């Protein structure tokens, strides 16, 4: 699953590819907690095992790709 995360004062969103089988409901709950101010940092683990943290106060939006969407190539 692919996430595009908008960050304040940054013109380009960052893209994070989550592992296959990631629980969409759990990701949505984490995003909602971060956007709602309940969590100081949105932590995600990408498909390579790297942990990415984004300060909740800097989040502007999060786009979730459809389940099982891992684009291949340049498109």
């Amino acid at each position: 699953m692919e996430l595009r995360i908008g960050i304040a004062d940054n013109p380009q969103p960052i893209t994070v590819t989550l592992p296959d089988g990631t629980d969409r409901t759990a990701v949505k709950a984490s995003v909602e907690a971060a956007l709602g101010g309940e969590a100081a940092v949105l932590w995600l683990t990408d498909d390579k095992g790297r942990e990415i943290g984004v300060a909740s106060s800097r989040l502007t939006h999060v786009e979730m790709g459809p389940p099982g969407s891992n684009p291949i190539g340049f498109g």
Side-chain angles (χ1 to χ4, degrees), residues 1 5 10-11 15 17-18 21-22 24 26 29 32 34-35 40 43-44 48 52-53 55 60 62 65 68-70 73:
M1 170 177 33
I5 303 169
N10 188 1
T15 301
T17 303
L18 302 178
T22 298
R24 288 179 68 84
E32 287 177 7
L35 289 172
W43 283 103
L44 300 165
K48 294 184 167 104
I52 296 111
T60 59
V62 177
S69 66
N70 288 331

Side-chain angles (χ1 to χ4, degrees), residues 4-37:
R4 290 174 47 108
I5 303 169
I7 301 173
D9 300 323
N10 188 1
Q12 293 285 11
I14 61 171
T15 301
V16 178
T17 303
L18 302 178
D20 291 337
T22 298
D23 183 0
R24 288 179 68 84
T25 305
V27 172
K28 282 174 112 173
S30 295
V31 168
E32 287 177 7
L35 289 172

